[in-house]
Amino acid sequence: MTLELFRIDDRLIHGQVVVGWGQPCELGFLVLVDDEVATSEWEQELYRMGVPPEMGIYFDSVESAARRLADYRADRRTGMLLTGDIGTMQRLVATAGGIRSVTIGGIHHKPGRTAHERYVYLTDEEEAQLRALAATGVTVSAQDVPQAAAMPLEELLAQDGAS
Amino acid sequence: MSDGPKAIVAGHGTFAEGIRSAVEQISGRGDCFITISNSGLAPGDIEAKLREAVASTGARIIFTDLPAGSCTLAARRVQRDTPGLIVVTGAALPTILSYACGGDLAKAAEQGRDALTVIEAPRDP
């Protein structure tokens, strides 16, 4: 298998990732791409604690993730790469190249954001970032759990409300 | 034991409220707990809710449902700068009920571990 899933999720590593995706997809490793976490032992330990011992976890900055992406892709296990925001994924896609699809797993409410799904709230700037990402040829969709159908970006953005 | 909230239960969906309700039904001590759900919340908002609950109640224990869960990660962030705060994760009703009734956390954790049992289907006669 390989690094198959590229997910934007402001909770980064949490139950939905480790259990919801981890068990049915038999994830063997996670790659957490965050410039701040990549330089903080404490933050890394925090996330490491939530990951079962049989699942690998790697911490990268955007720069180091782009450099190591080929190694992750060559990994025989199935992997998921996570960023906590759209901008980080956008930088990774631009730096690394070859990322064909990105899934929005969770961007939660904060002031200034509008609901598009119960787990996706976006500012105008974030909408523009996603459109820009899609314009580079990346397939962008929203899907919180494996049992849900992936929702294409245009459908997501056309939706108004968190119902 | 029931003179106001003394511990926080936090988790996915309605886990925390379900636990509180069950503790109340079994022991009448549901008011030992204040409950927090992570539903629809960004990580910073979960942390803020926990901080507010700790500050306003003086609770020194946070029970969470899943080690990898966002409530657990938020609780550990609060723990980092709250002296004496204990986080118990993987908590379920037997542990939390025992704590509500006895107040001994070590014993409650042991009882919670012991309570987990797989009861196999009986063999055909």
Side-chain angles (χ1 to χ4, degrees), chain A residues 34-159:
Chain A
D34 184 287
D35 289 347
E36 195 178 320
V37 176
T39 60
S40 168
E41 276 297 320
W42 192 85
E43 289 286 334
Q44 291 177 22
E45 186 51 38
L46 182 66
Y47 289 108
R48 198 174 279 121
M49 182 200 141
V51 175
E54 66 275 13
M55 190 181 283
I57 177 166
Y58 306 101
F59 300 96
D60 277 302
S61 64
V62 170
E63 185 272 328
S64 66
R67 203 163 8 92
R68 292 177 186 157
L69 207 54
D71 293 335
Y72 293 137
R73 284 191 169 120
D75 199 303
R76 295 175 67 177
R77 302 168 295 175
T78 303
M80 175 188 280
L81 182 147
L82 294 144
T83 70
D85 56 66
I86 302 164
T88 302
M89 186 62 83
Q90 211 175 12
R91 285 194 293 134
L92 180 65
V93 167
T95 311
I99 297 173
R100 293 193 180 89
S101 66
V102 167
T103 303
I104 305 162
I107 300 175
H108 292 88
H109 177 266
K110 76 172 185 182
R113 281 180 175 159
T114 302
H116 291 274
E117 249 293 332
R118 73 190 149 67
Y119 61 92
V120 183
Y121 292 71
L122 300 168
T123 63
D124 291 346
E125 185 188 350
E126 287 166 330
E127 281 194 41
Q129 285 178 310
L130 288 172
R131 289 189 197 281
L133 194 57
T136 66
V138 175
T139 301
V140 181
S141 59
Q143 186 180 14
D144 56 348
V145 292
Q147 289 74 17
M151 182 182 295
L153 178 62
E154 284 309 319
E155 191 180 327
L156 175 77
L157 296 183
Q159 272 198 173

Side-chain angles (χ1 to χ4, degrees), chain B residues 94-114:
Chain B
T95 296
I96 297 173
L97 177 65
S98 172
Y99 179 73
C101 294
D104 182 335
L105 184 57
K107 186 178 175 187
E110 186 183 337
Q111 288 183 333
R113 279 189 288 266
D114 290 347

Side-chain angles (χ1 to χ4, degrees), chain A residues 10-11 13-16 18-19 42-43 45-47 49-51 108-110 118 121, chain B residues 12 38-43 45-46 66-70 72-74 76-77 80 89:
Chain A
D10 59 12
R11 291 182 180 175
I13 291 171
H14 61 115
Q16 221 172 58
V18 172
V19 183
W42 192 85
E43 289 286 334
E45 186 51 38
L46 182 66
Y47 289 108
M49 182 200 141
V51 175
H108 292 88
H109 177 266
K110 76 172 185 182
R118 73 190 149 67
Y121 292 71
Chain B
H12 295 80
N38 69 354
S39 289
L41 297 180
D45 294 329
I46 301 168
L66 199 63
S70 52
T72 308
L73 267 64
R76 288 200 65 202
R77 292 184 192 282
R80 192 183 190 190
T89 189

Side-chain angles (χ1 to χ4, degrees), chain B:
Chain B
M1 286 288 292
S2 291
D3 50 352
K6 62 188 183 69
I8 296 164
V9 182
H12 295 80
T14 56
F15 166 81
E17 187 48 37
I19 287 282
R20 194 209 61 76
S21 165
V23 169
E24 177 63 25
Q25 182 181 333
I26 296 165
S27 68
R29 294 173 189 261
D31 63 354
C32 290
F33 302 106
I34 53 173
T35 61
I36 291 174
S37 169
N38 69 354
S39 289
L41 297 180
D45 294 329
I46 301 168
E47 184 179 334
K49 278 198 168 215
L50 286 171
R51 283 191 189 282
E52 196 278 329
V54 167
S56 64
T57 65
R60 282 295 172 265
I61 298 177
I62 301 175
F63 292 99
T64 68
D65 52 359
L66 199 63
S70 52
C71 286
T72 308
L73 267 64
R76 288 200 65 202
R77 292 184 192 282
V78 176
Q79 184 183 40
R80 192 183 190 190
D81 50 24
T82 308
L85 184 67
I86 296 168
V87 177
V88 181
T89 189
L93 182 59
T95 296
I96 297 173
L97 177 65
S98 172
Y99 179 73
C101 294
D104 182 335
L105 184 57
K107 186 178 175 187
E110 186 183 337
Q111 288 183 333
R113 279 189 288 266
D114 290 347
L116 186 63
T117 309
V118 177
I119 301 171
E120 301 287 354
R123 289 183 199 159
D124 290 338

